[in-house]
Amino acid sequence: MKKNILLAGVGGQGILSIAAVMDLAAIESGLQIKQAEVHGMSQRGGAVQSHLRISDATIYSDLIPEREAHLILSVEPMEALRYLPWLAEDGVIVSSIDPVRNIPDYPDMEKIAEAIRKAAPHILVNAEALALQAGSSRMANMIVLGAASPWTGLEPGALEKAVRTLFGPKGCEIVDMNIAAFRTGRGLSEKGSGLKAAATAKTTERQRV
């Protein structure tokens, strides 16, 4: 088993918490991991991305080569597009559709969504609204993780155990809200609104935006 997962978002969206949950779940499952992070400046809405590699065999490099990411998991839609050159031919995109408008000329959201739809099989998630239903908009990252979980190579039980381990020190209420958010996201993939096939993907479309 080998999974190359590129995590993307901007500062303050919980990208590194997603990575920590998957790291813990992979270790609990007896798998090997390597992770590399680039931290933006959260007060300026800077980009945060993490290369996460999970395998049952030795991993020799921290970084995912271009065209070898099996999954782009993004909590910000334009950040999902930024890393399209890394997506494998059979890769999948799971992204929130909640934009962080941290630049004055932020593109039209529908154009971003259309570019994602044309680029690859995908799930677009209204993460903040679903997180509110689960208890708090701050759990939007767990909504996206749940939606992406079928493509991580990790069992949902291992991921939920990792959520409990990571958030346990913050108390049972926080743990329960994060678990609820994860299960809500997972449900998107398991029931009805699963992966949408890409439209005819063309190189010119993949480079748009």
Side-chain angles (χ1 to χ4, degrees), residues 92-96 116 120-125 147-148 151 188-189 193-196:
V92 171
I93 302 169
V94 178
S95 176
S96 167
I116 292 174
H122 59 275
I123 296 178
L124 298 177
V125 184
W151 295 278
L188 295 176
S189 301
S193 57
L195 211 62
K196 304 290 192 305

Side-chain angles (χ1 to χ4, degrees), residues 41-203:
M41 298 175 66
S42 60
Q43 66 270 36
R44 295 183 180 177
V48 177
Q49 54 103 331
S50 178
H51 288 221
L52 177 58
R53 313 189 77 183
I54 303 171
S55 178
D56 57 5
T58 301
I59 305 168
Y60 292 101
S61 173
D62 294 351
L63 299 179
I64 301 169
E66 289 195 9
R67 300 293 182 189
E68 292 192 21
H70 303 103
L71 169 66
I72 292 177
L73 187 166
S74 181
V75 290
E76 207 288 329
M78 195 165 71
E79 292 298 320
L81 294 182
R82 186 194 299 272
Y83 299 104
L84 284 183
W86 275 262
L87 193 64
E89 190 70 25
D90 58 349
V92 171
I93 302 169
V94 178
S95 176
S96 167
I97 59 169
D98 303 308
V100 177
R101 301 185 188 279
N102 51 9
I103 54 175
D105 55 348
Y106 192 96
D108 178 77
M109 185 55 223
E110 183 49 41
K111 291 182 178 178
I112 295 174
E114 185 62 19
I116 292 174
R117 293 186 189 105
K118 290 181 177 178
H122 59 275
I123 296 178
L124 298 177
V125 184
N126 193 349
E128 287 188 4
L130 291 171
L132 274 174
Q133 293 174 16
S136 168
S137 62
R138 297 186 64 182
M139 315 301 172
N141 61 337
M142 291 297 113
I143 295 281
V144 181
L145 173 59
S149 59
W151 295 278
T152 62
L154 300 166
E155 294 296 325
L159 288 165
E160 288 197 13
K161 183 176 181 180
V163 170
R164 296 182 189 283
T165 299
L166 183 67
F167 294 105
K170 296 185 177 181
C172 292
E173 184 179 4
I174 297 298
V175 168
D176 290 345
M177 286 195 297
N178 278 281
I179 291 290
F182 174 83
R183 290 177 178 175
T184 296
R186 178 88 185 182
L188 295 176
S189 301
E190 293 178 337
K191 302 173 186 175
S193 57
L195 211 62
K196 304 290 192 305
T200 302
K202 302 176 182 177
T203 302

